[in-house]
Amino acid sequence: MALLQIHDPSAAPTPIGIDLGTTNSLVAYVTSLGEPTTILDCDSEALVPSVVHYAKDGRVIVGRDAQKLALVLPKDTLMSVKRFMGRGADDAETRRLSTYQFAKSDGPVVKFEVGQGRVVTPIEVSAEILRTLKENAEDELGRVGGAVITVPAYFDDAQRQATKDAGKLAGLNVLRLLNEPTAAALAYGLDSKKNGTFIVFDLGGGTFDVTVLSLDDGVFQVRSTGGDTQLGGDDMDRALAHHVFASMQADASSAAPELVRAILDASRAIKHALTANETVEADIDLPGGKSFAARVTRPEFDALIKPIIERTGPTCRRALRDAGIEVAAVDGVILVGGATRVPLVREFVTALFEKEPLGSIDPDQVVALGAAIQADLLAGSGPRDEVLLLDVLPLSLGVETMGGVVERILARNTAIPAGAKQVFTTYADNQTGFELHVVQGERDLAIDCRSLAHFTLKGIPAMPAGMARLAVSFEVDADGLLKVSAREESTGIEQSIDVKPSYGLSDDAIEKMLLTAYEHGEADVATRALREQQVEAARILAATKKAVESDAALLEGPEERARIDAAVAQLEAAVKGTDHRAIAHLIESLDETASAFAGRRMDLRIRQALTGRSVKDVADESAHAQGIEAHLGNTK
């Protein structure tokens, strides 16, 4: 006879941690004894398949029951939607081998057509998974408090915001988004009480992260992070599926969705079986009552997935370089994600970091356990209040300035939450507004970075160039979400925006940002210098031409005018070229050529300013200015 669990209605809600995974998801909490533990569903399973089926009668089925329907109703059953979070409808990911039926969309968000024309977004699908996890937690705990939801460290702002929106749609009070590698380190660090430098190698179903972090007496500080939001176990399944299609002498690109789903599911099962076996023979049930006998050996599978696994190598080496440490200084490697069970992955990690990875905690559960610990800490109910957790920005944030150059305001690997401010000024006379372009990335030109947002600050009084002072502030919260504000200091006019960038990235965009930054480092420096000199030259040319026209009477004859005109012509010609040093040299040459003329103009302006004023008035103003300067100096 089953026992009826009774919950105390007066008890405080229990905070929970959720690992929203590509393949499987799970929820955990910290017990009254202070130990994190996962919550089991009605089938006594911790892992809930991240699969959602939309039935024709309007019902929504989540988990294993949905997974069973994927074979017979593949178009109405959505899997691995995490790979679409924060992505655009024209993204390369939509063209990979899959059974998805994409709906036409006027907006930038991916939409799926399911269940008699019903259209859903990845956010809505993820919300169904989160809602199921919340219900499982309520069955176990009664009342559920705030939730910490984990995300890949390399999720960008759009993907993080999409995850947070899914949590809210599921009825969760999202306390924080926590990077998956950091969650794993939190679980391991508190379990083993170790200090040192650790690598978290997180290869899940759809994403890859590597994080270098230090553990020092309760302080968890991320030193660097890297990854690829489009690399994981799904890619191994696809590689094996293409191999099976080739063995069948069938064309994967034109295969029916039912056949594709059958082959993908079989490939995943074969992958799992090869973890413990050298050879796997499987009879794959095909649509129409047919079957295909597939035989795959471990060496064959390793050859198929080796290029996929090797893609993690450069990212890991770059993370070590960013953290400023050598492989020998690594004290341990933590494996996270189901794909790390693949023997070749473990061999690769062991060779790369020259040590056996840690494996005392189930790699499928470690992220959820860490999230539960963090939720417990944020709720203030846990005994681990001495723990400090410091995450970092995965990519630099900045604004576009004149010439298309990026001015970084918050650098990559800055600990978050973080804030920074920088002051800019106007380029042109009588400029009454600023167009702010917020970008993310490591390149020196805005066109090579990811555009996050545009907004305009209007209503600034017309002033000469360089007089307006625009203070731009960036604030990144603990979830990695950005708020940008701009304030013109002389007028107090202010504008702010929460950056929720348009959803959509090209395939492997985040990884490519760093790769191209390293590959084009020298060229970017030269291009940036050229753009900056071109902008400065344009400013000086405009000012010189205006001065010569307005104060031609101050020129000492045609000879001086000819010398200035010649210097102007030389600089204009150089600006059209690509030698920034030549431009800088000719800027100095024009300045030297026009210096005497500029001096006469300044003398004239001073005489005009002093006309009709007494020496005493000027002296009093000077004394007052010196007093203000002294006061400012004392308050710095």
Side-chain angles (χ1 to χ4, degrees):
M1 179 178 178
L3 295 176
L4 176 64
Q5 188 170 4
I6 300 176
H7 302 289
D8 182 0
S10 64
T14 303
I16 57 175
I18 294 176
D19 176 9
L20 181 61
T22 305
T23 307
N24 296 293
S25 299
L26 60 164
V27 57
Y29 74 105
V30 175
T31 68
S32 58
L33 299 177
E35 294 300 323
T37 185
T38 54
I39 293 174
L40 306 182
D41 62 11
C42 57
D43 297 320
S44 298
E45 296 283 351
L47 296 178
V48 175
S50 300
V51 184
V52 180
H53 174 76
Y54 291 87
K56 298 191 186 309
D57 60 5
R59 290 179 302 128
V60 179
I61 303 170
V62 179
R64 267 171 292 282
D65 290 338
Q67 198 172 39
K68 294 173 185 176
L69 293 168
L71 279 172
V72 291
L73 297 168
K75 292 183 180 179
D76 299 334
T77 308
L78 301 177
M79 309 172 72
S80 301
V81 294
K82 182 176 177 178
R83 298 186 76 143
F84 294 92
M85 293 291 276
R87 293 191 164 269
D90 58 350
D91 194 277
E93 178 67 12
T94 64
R95 296 187 291 274
R96 295 199 184 196
L97 180 65
S98 69
T99 61
Y100 305 111
Q101 184 74 30
F102 295 101
K104 292 183 179 179
S105 174
D106 296 330
V109 183
V110 172
K111 293 182 180 180
F112 307 102
E113 187 174 321
V114 294
Q116 292 185 326
R118 181 177 180 180
V119 175
V120 294
T121 67
I123 293 176
E124 294 171 291
V125 180
S126 296
E128 296 292 352
I129 299 169
L130 290 171
R131 191 176 289 114
T132 297
L133 295 172
K134 178 174 178 278
E135 291 170 355
N136 290 346
E138 288 172 337
D139 290 342
E140 174 81 15
L141 305 172
R143 298 174 63 200
V144 169
V148 169
I149 303 176
T150 60
V151 293
Y154 248 57
F155 255 23
D156 68 4
D157 283 341
Q159 292 163 310
R160 289 171 187 271
Q161 188 61 52
T163 304
K164 201 166 188 178
D165 290 345
K168 291 179 180 178
L169 191 60
L172 291 166
N173 173 24
V174 182
L175 298 173
R176 181 177 175 182
L177 300 180
L178 181 64
N179 287 348
E180 292 167 0
T182 309
L186 192 56
Y188 261 101
L190 293 176
D191 179 69
S192 58
K193 303 293 184 184
K194 288 184 178 180
N195 288 340
T197 300
F198 290 82
I199 303 292
V200 181
F201 187 96
D202 183 353
L203 187 62
T207 58
F208 167 66
D209 289 307
V210 61
T211 300
V212 181
L213 54 92
S214 61
L215 280 63
D216 186 10
D217 296 331
V219 178
F220 289 59
Q221 183 169 8
V222 177
R223 302 275 297 277
S224 68
T225 186
D228 189 336
T229 60
Q230 295 300 303
L231 177 64
D234 284 357
D235 298 285
M236 300 180 193
D237 298 342
R238 289 192 182 109
L240 186 53
H242 280 291
H243 173 74
V244 173
F245 270 110
S247 301
M248 295 169 57
Q249 296 183 340
D251 184 6
S253 61
S254 60
E258 292 79 7
L259 179 59
V260 171
R261 174 49 54 204
I263 299 300
L264 283 172
D265 287 351
S267 297
R268 179 171 297 170
I270 292 171
K271 176 185 70 177
H272 293 165
L274 285 170
T275 299
N277 300 282
E278 289 295 325
T279 302
V280 172
E281 295 182 358
D283 287 327
I284 304 174
D285 293 327
L286 305 178
K290 299 179 180 180
S291 65
F292 176 76
R295 183 179 186 276
V296 182
T297 66
R298 176 84 65 78
E300 288 175 330
F301 180 62
D302 289 350
L304 291 170
I305 66 172
K306 184 178 179 181
I308 297 170
I309 297 172
E310 287 180 342
R311 284 171 55 190
T312 66
T315 304
C316 291
R317 286 186 284 271
R318 185 165 54 252
L320 288 172
R321 186 166 60 247
D322 288 347
I325 65 170
E326 301 291 335
V327 170
V330 174
D331 295 295
V333 180
I334 300 169
L335 293 181
V336 179
T340 60
R341 297 181 187 276
V342 174
L344 187 63
V345 173
R346 291 179 177 255
E347 293 173 15
F348 180 83
V349 171
T350 300
L352 182 63
F353 295 106
E354 300 174 2
K355 54 181 57 64
E356 286 286 339
L358 303 176
S360 60
I361 302 179
D362 186 337
D364 282 321
Q365 297 190 13
V366 63
V367 168
L369 297 176
I373 293 170
Q374 179 67 6
D376 196 50
L377 290 170
L378 293 176
S381 56
R384 304 174 178 86
D385 55 2
E386 74 279 3
V387 173
L388 178 63
L389 188 60
L390 301 175
D391 259 330
V392 297
L393 286 174
L395 292 169
S396 299
L397 298 166
V399 295
E400 180 181 358
T401 60
M402 284 300 299
V405 174
V406 174
E407 186 65 31
R408 293 187 184 90
I409 294 180
L410 283 173
R412 183 166 67 94
N413 287 328
T414 298
I416 59 173
K421 182 173 76 172
Q422 199 152 328
V423 178
F424 300 88
T425 189
T426 49
Y427 172 78
D429 290 338
N430 303 319
Q431 189 174 330
T432 59
F434 286 90
E435 175 73 25
L436 266 287
H437 181 201
V438 183
V439 297
Q440 180 183 39
E442 305 309 311
R443 301 291 297 276
D444 284 310
L445 299 184
I447 195 173
D448 297 321
C449 293
R450 187 185 184 202
S451 175
L452 291 184
H454 288 264
F455 71 100
T456 304
L457 187 68
K458 297 180 178 179
I460 299 169
M463 290 182 268
M467 293 299 292
R469 309 288 289 176
L470 181 71
V472 178
S473 300
F474 277 28
E475 294 180 6
V476 179
D477 64 17
D479 295 331
L481 299 177
L482 172 65
K483 179 177 181 178
V484 180
S485 61
R487 184 177 188 273
E488 204 291 305
E489 296 185 326
S490 65
T491 61
I493 296 173
E494 188 169 1
Q495 176 75 31
S496 65
I497 183 173
D498 291 322
V499 176
K500 296 180 181 180
S502 58
Y503 292 359
L505 280 173
S506 59
D507 192 38
D508 297 330
I510 296 295
E511 179 71 7
K512 286 181 180 177
M513 285 182 184
L514 290 179
L515 287 175
T516 54
Y518 283 107
E519 291 171 0
H520 299 89
E522 291 186 18
D524 279 357
V525 170
T527 303
R528 182 188 183 100
L530 176 62
R531 293 288 182 89
E532 289 174 340
Q533 291 300 329
Q534 287 173 331
V535 169
E536 178 66 7
R539 184 187 67 81
I540 290 174
L541 285 168
T544 302
K545 291 178 180 179
K546 181 179 179 181
V548 169
E549 292 300 322
S550 62
D551 292 321
L554 296 177
L555 290 167
E556 291 185 342
E559 295 81 5
E560 186 176 35
R561 174 65 182 262
R563 288 196 300 273
I564 293 176
D565 287 346
V568 166
Q570 286 181 314
L571 182 55
E572 286 179 330
V575 166
K576 297 176 182 178
T578 58
D579 189 346
H580 65 88
R581 294 182 182 85
I583 298 173
H585 172 72
L586 289 172
I587 287 175
E588 293 179 4
S589 178
L590 175 57
D591 181 61
E592 183 178 342
T593 301
S595 61
F597 171 61
R600 291 192 293 275
R601 293 185 72 234
M602 184 176 294
D603 291 342
L604 176 62
R605 298 294 181 268
I606 293 173
R607 288 197 300 272
Q608 290 173 340
L610 295 178
T611 300
R613 304 178 66 191
S614 68
V615 175
K616 183 177 183 303
D617 291 338
V618 176
D620 288 344
E621 288 184 8
S622 177
H624 178 65
Q626 289 176 1
I628 292 175
E629 182 66 27
H631 173 71
L632 291 174
N634 290 333
T635 57
K636 287 180 180 177

